[in-house]
Amino acid sequence: MVAGAALALTPMVVATSRSNNPDMTLMFLSVLAAWATVRAIEDGRQRWMLLAGVACGFGFLTKLLAAGLVMPGLWART
């Protein structure tokens, strides 16, 4: 929660999120996928892994292969 708040309140994030750049959306989806993966590991429910997969899929649609940079880390975590 602290890291998410720090990310949301960083002046650089506020400055770059005003442009029509998909980087902020990609960052959000990557963090969402990581959070859902951690929840899946802790909780053991399959729906969290499904959410992580959906977030990675939307990240791929947002900025193609840049979303693939976080996937090996998520796969190694599980």
Side-chain angles (χ1 to χ4, degrees):
M1 294 296 275
V2 174
L7 177 68
L9 299 176
T10 303
M12 190 58 167
V13 172
V14 173
T16 58
S17 65
R18 286 191 266 169
S19 67
N20 191 15
N21 193 350
D23 288 335
M24 292 298 116
T25 305
L26 177 65
M27 185 185 311
F28 169 72
L29 291 169
S30 299
V31 170
L32 178 65
W35 175 76
T37 302
V38 170
R39 285 289 305 254
I41 292 169
E42 291 174 351
D43 200 6
R45 293 188 179 169
Q46 189 176 5
R47 67 180 172 161
W48 294 113
M49 283 307 293
L50 181 64
L51 177 64
V54 168
C56 286
F58 281 129
F60 179 80
L61 291 174
T62 301
K63 203 163 181 186
L64 295 181
L65 291 179
L69 295 174
V70 298
M71 289 182 202
L74 298 176
W75 293 333
R77 180 95 171 137
T78 58

